[in-house]
Amino acid sequence: ILLVTGHKLKVTSRRMPLSVEYELPNPPTDGITSVCFAPAAGSTLLLASSWDKGVRLYNVSAGDSAHRCSYYHQGSVLDCCFSDPTHAFSAGLDRSLVAYDFNSQQQSTLGNHDDTIRCVEYCSDLGIVVTGSWDCSVKLWDRRQKHSVGSYHQSGERVYTMSLSGEKLVVGTTNRKVFVWDLRNMQFAEQRRQSSLKYQTRCIRCFPNKQGYVLSSIEGRVAVEYLDTQQEIQQKKYAFKCHRVKEEGIEKVYPVNAISFHNVHNTFATGGSDGFVNIWDPFNKKRLCQFHRYPTDISSLAFSHDGNMIAISVSPVLPEEGKDKPKDVIMIRHISDGETQPK
């Protein structure tokens, strides 16, 4: 049993058979930073960014010919996203926001930040691209005009992670700060919060139902937060321990690197540096299942749009000096409703 602030979190130990997953061919040749599925019902297109400066497109249902194409930046790529199944955006250490058209195979640069771009998201409601950078700003981009339509300071804090909930943007920065913005009115942040977790924020992802977000830290904890500031709603928030492994009588605590929501059920998966992936029911406060242990860190996770598959990036986040670096792989795992429905 895991203790939750004021609650108990029920944990089931059911594990899923290995036969439901497979490894994608031609993976990135260096650390995998992000994976994401195309935002279309039934789509099997997957995008992956990497420290090898590349962005790869896969059709995960195509077997040995899954790898469709690649394009490259001048520096390592830290994040990527689709706007639709034929257009992608990516960014990273070269400070450039790159757009790519898979039909025409045309690559273009929309613009730059003054430092590394850590995050890129696409808001389908407004048709704009959003980037978050270590230059302590968030920028909005019109992909048709190919230039920034606004730059917004994050109170001098580097952007580490961000996520969209419709027209709401939730930004996680240094010093455990969280800013909530409305993309329709960026004159000021709607909410300025402090993470309820004691250590550095690693990942934020918003509920598909737009009610809140889940935040993880480097210290094996996850917080479930709500956007509505009314007291009775805020009383529902909670946090819990996870991705902790007892080895030889000692509990080792691992960073929770990745979060991905199931679009239909609003349950979510977490991936940690312990090599485990867990699926959680945030409404009934329990773990639905745990996958087998992977050889190294889980650096990124992505459910497909319809929730039938999950992409698992198995890749060292911080490779240890003097040790052989494990192979970087992307696993595709088929998921059933029984493993993701709230119970």
Side-chain angles (χ1 to χ4, degrees):
I1 294 175
L2 298 181
L3 290 179
V4 183
T5 52
H7 307 274
K8 286 187 178 180
L9 186 73
K10 305 169 190 173
V11 175
T12 62
S13 58
R14 180 164 57 91
R15 302 204 178 199
M16 296 158 60
L18 298 181
S19 59
V20 298
E21 72 177 22
Y22 55 92
E23 181 181 329
L24 284 183
N26 301 307
T29 58
D30 203 348
I32 304 164
T33 54
S34 179
V35 290
C36 64
F37 275 99
S43 178
T44 56
L45 296 177
L46 181 79
L47 208 58
S49 59
S50 170
W51 281 93
D52 68 6
K53 305 180 183 179
V55 180
R56 290 165 173 81
L57 177 70
Y58 299 92
N59 180 349
V60 302
S61 64
D64 291 341
S65 58
H67 180 227
R68 289 303 173 89
C69 67
S70 301
Y71 67 91
Y72 291 87
H73 282 243
Q74 295 298 309
S76 297
V77 189
L78 300 187
D79 203 8
C80 60
C81 69
F82 284 98
S83 59
D84 58 57
T86 60
H87 295 89
F89 299 94
S90 52
L93 296 187
D94 62 6
R95 307 179 180 185
S96 299
L97 172 61
V98 169
Y100 195 86
D101 185 324
F102 291 112
N103 282 340
S104 65
Q105 298 186 349
Q106 293 295 309
Q107 180 173 339
S108 58
T109 299
L110 271 64
N112 303 88
H113 275 264
D114 294 330
D115 203 339
T116 295
I117 302 176
R118 179 60 188 88
C119 313
V120 57
E121 298 274 349
Y122 180 75
C123 177
S124 58
D125 291 357
L126 300 176
I128 57 175
V129 186
V130 187
T131 52
S133 169
W134 291 351
D135 67 7
C136 308
S137 75
V138 164
K139 287 187 177 184
L140 309 186
W141 309 81
D142 186 328
R143 74 178 195 181
R144 295 160 298 182
Q145 299 180 27
K146 295 188 177 180
H147 65 76
S148 171
V149 295
S151 181
Y152 307 94
H153 231 35
Q154 305 298 300
S155 300
E157 307 287 347
R158 286 185 170 193
V159 176
Y160 281 172
T161 181
M162 66 185 193
S163 182
L164 287 168
S165 177
E167 291 144 350
K168 301 287 187 183
L169 173 69
V170 182
V171 181
T173 70
T174 48
N175 298 313
R176 301 167 37 249
K177 292 183 179 179
V178 177
F179 300 95
V180 181
W181 297 82
D182 187 330
L183 294 178
R184 298 164 298 181
N185 179 14
M186 293 288 288
Q187 293 181 355
F188 57 89
E190 279 194 341
Q191 298 179 36
R192 297 170 182 264
R193 299 186 175 193
Q194 194 81 10
S195 168
S196 59
L197 306 182
K198 294 181 180 179
Y199 293 89
Q200 178 184 310
T201 302
R202 180 54 66 90
C203 186
I204 288 176
R205 290 293 179 265
C206 292
F207 277 85
N209 65 15
K210 304 181 182 180
Q211 292 181 3
Y213 60 90
V214 171
L215 178 150
S216 69
S217 79
I218 62 171
E219 186 250 348
R221 287 180 190 267
V222 165
V224 177
E225 302 277 351
Y226 292 90
L227 292 172
D228 191 327
T229 56
Q230 295 183 69
Q231 185 176 357
E232 60 266 31
I233 301 298
Q234 288 300 306
Q235 288 175 347
K236 296 180 180 179
K237 69 181 184 181
Y238 63 95
F240 60 93
K241 298 177 182 178
C242 54
H243 295 280
R244 297 165 180 237
V245 179
K246 280 194 175 181
E247 295 175 346
E248 298 177 358
I250 299 173
E251 184 181 60
K252 293 185 177 181
V253 180
Y254 294 89
V256 184
N257 302 316
I259 303 167
S260 182
F261 269 96
H262 191 285
N263 283 326
V264 179
H265 302 313
N266 284 278
T267 50
F268 65 92
T270 58
S273 288
D274 57 350
F276 282 110
V277 175
N278 299 310
I279 297 181
W280 305 93
D281 175 352
F283 310 106
N284 298 303
K285 302 185 178 73
K286 66 180 181 180
R287 187 173 69 191
L288 296 173
C289 62
Q290 182 181 75
F291 302 170
H292 66 93
R293 195 172 194 176
Y294 293 91
T296 187
D297 308 29
I298 308 302
S299 62
S300 183
L301 292 170
F303 276 108
S304 59
H305 187 73
D306 56 14
N308 291 333
M309 293 181 288
I310 186 170
I312 305 164
S313 163
V314 184
S315 180
V317 174
L318 291 172
E320 298 181 54
E321 291 187 15
K323 289 189 176 182
D324 291 337
K325 181 177 173 294
K327 180 184 176 184
D328 301 290
V329 299
I330 299 172
M331 304 300 298
I332 303 299
R333 193 176 187 98
H334 290 282
I335 301 291
S336 69
D337 278 348
E339 293 146 355
T340 53
Q341 282 181 328
K343 295 175 182 177

